[in-house]
Structure formats: C-alpha cells, structure tokens
C-alpha cells in the first residue's frame, strides 16, 4: 500500500529544522473560566490549552482541565482532578512520515499533583481507516483514573 501523504524529507524537514525552537510545536494557553472564588490565593478555574502534535504536522489538540486554586494550588500541593477533555482537529495540511509515527505513543504529559499524578494524551494510529485517535487520561503511581476522553482525526480521502 502506498501512502499518498508521505513527507517529502528534503525540503519540509530541512525548513522545519531551521525554524527557531519558539516557532516549532508549542503549547498555547487559550483561556480560562473561573469556577469558584477563593479568598486567599488564585481561584479554581477550568483551563483551555492547545498543543500541536509533535510528529503529525497539521493536527492541533485542545485540552480542557480543572485547576485548583487557593493556597494549596498556589504552592503546587493540590491534587488536581482526573477529569480532562481533548479535541484534536486538522488545522493545516496533514503531513507525517509513517516510519516516524508509532502505532501508539504518549505525545503530551502534564503534572497534576506534586507527586505521582500526570495527565497524558496518547496518539494511536488506525492505519486501516487512516485515522489518528487521541486519548486523554490520568495516571497515578498506584491507581490511575478510568475517566478519559477521546477524539479522532481522519487524514484519508473519502
């Protein structure tokens, strides 16, 4: 099977390598809403961020998650909730090197507590339907959370 959207290794990769690190795939804070007022320290919020898939050009993912405020949140001691949402969309021409994209890999990690808890986004490649599936969930040293969210982006022609 010939993959029709294969990266042209020469020009595209060389041009990307010449860009300053600040212009390559970066996280962006999109906005936040307050969910609870805190007298001392920051308020509880829901944060919205964007990150670009590091190996698949043309796909951006948007995450929403809660952020605990107050004194414990301000000093980084609060254990954040496991709920998160992810929505990934095509934001440009989808270009990737099939040899570089694993069937399943963690593409984003964020600490959610001072110790042992992380929020992750995993990209899964369904080559049969030419679709990238993105799953977000929380991990913990002993027990993770079954709470999760999923989204998918098809890159094939119909």
């Amino acid at each position: 099977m010939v993959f029709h959207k294969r990266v042209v290794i020469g020009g595209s990769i060389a041009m990307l390598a010449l860009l300053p690190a600040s212009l390559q795939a970066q996280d962006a804070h999109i906005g936040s809403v307050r969910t609870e007022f805190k007298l001392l320290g920051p308020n509880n919020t829901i944060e919205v961020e964007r990150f670009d898939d590091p190996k698949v050009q043309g796909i951006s993912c948007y995450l929403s998650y809660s952020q605990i405020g107050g004194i414990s949140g301000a000093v980084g001691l609060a254990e954040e909730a496991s709920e998160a949402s992810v929505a990934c969309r095509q934001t440009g021409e989808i270009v990737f090197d099939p040899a570089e994209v694993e069937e399943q890999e963690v593409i984003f990690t964020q600490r959610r507590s001072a110790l042992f808890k992380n929020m992750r986004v995993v990209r899964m490649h369904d080559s049969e339907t030419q679709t990238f599936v993105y799953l977000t969930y929380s991990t913990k040293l002993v027990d993770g959370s079954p709470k999760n969210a999923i989204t998918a982006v098809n890159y094939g022609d119909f």
Side-chain angles (χ1 to χ4, degrees):
M1 177 172 143
V2 176
F3 185 72
H4 69 281
K5 292 187 180 179
R6 201 171 283 235
V7 170
V8 177
I9 300 295
S12 298
I13 299 298
M15 291 301 292
L16 185 61
L18 294 175
L19 289 174
S22 63
L23 295 179
Q24 294 181 23
Q26 42 179 287
D27 300 344
H29 185 262
I30 303 300
S32 63
V33 294
R34 184 179 73 190
T35 58
E36 184 180 355
F37 173 76
K38 293 289 187 180
L39 188 58
L40 297 173
N43 296 317
N44 290 358
T45 60
I46 296 174
E47 303 293 324
V48 178
E49 293 186 10
R50 183 197 80 238
F51 71 92
D52 299 326
D53 188 312
K55 291 186 180 175
V56 181
Q57 179 183 327
I59 296 180
S60 296
C61 295
Y62 297 84
L63 284 172
S64 67
Y65 57 89
S66 63
Q67 192 73 37
I68 294 176
I71 301 298
S72 63
V75 296
L77 296 178
E79 182 163 323
E80 302 292 347
S82 295
E83 294 91 359
S85 178
V86 63
C88 298
R89 299 292 183 264
Q90 180 175 354
T91 54
E93 181 182 0
I94 295 177
V95 180
F96 67 97
D97 181 351
E100 296 281 321
V101 175
E102 298 176 32
E103 289 301 308
Q104 180 173 318
E105 67 182 298
V106 175
I107 61 168
F108 179 89
T109 300
Q110 182 185 74
R111 290 183 73 163
R112 299 299 287 152
S113 72
L115 299 171
F116 311 124
K117 188 173 186 179
N118 291 301
M119 175 178 58
R120 293 187 177 156
V121 176
V122 173
R123 179 197 339 97
M124 299 173 191
H125 186 199
D126 181 355
S127 56
E128 185 177 325
T129 63
Q130 296 185 330
T131 301
F132 288 111
V133 179
Y134 297 84
L135 170 72
T136 186
Y137 66 101
S138 289
T139 64
K140 213 173 181 181
L141 183 62
V142 177
D143 59 343
S145 172
K147 297 175 183 175
N148 63 80
I150 193 168
T151 187
V153 179
N154 180 275
Y155 58 85
D157 295 327
F158 291 97

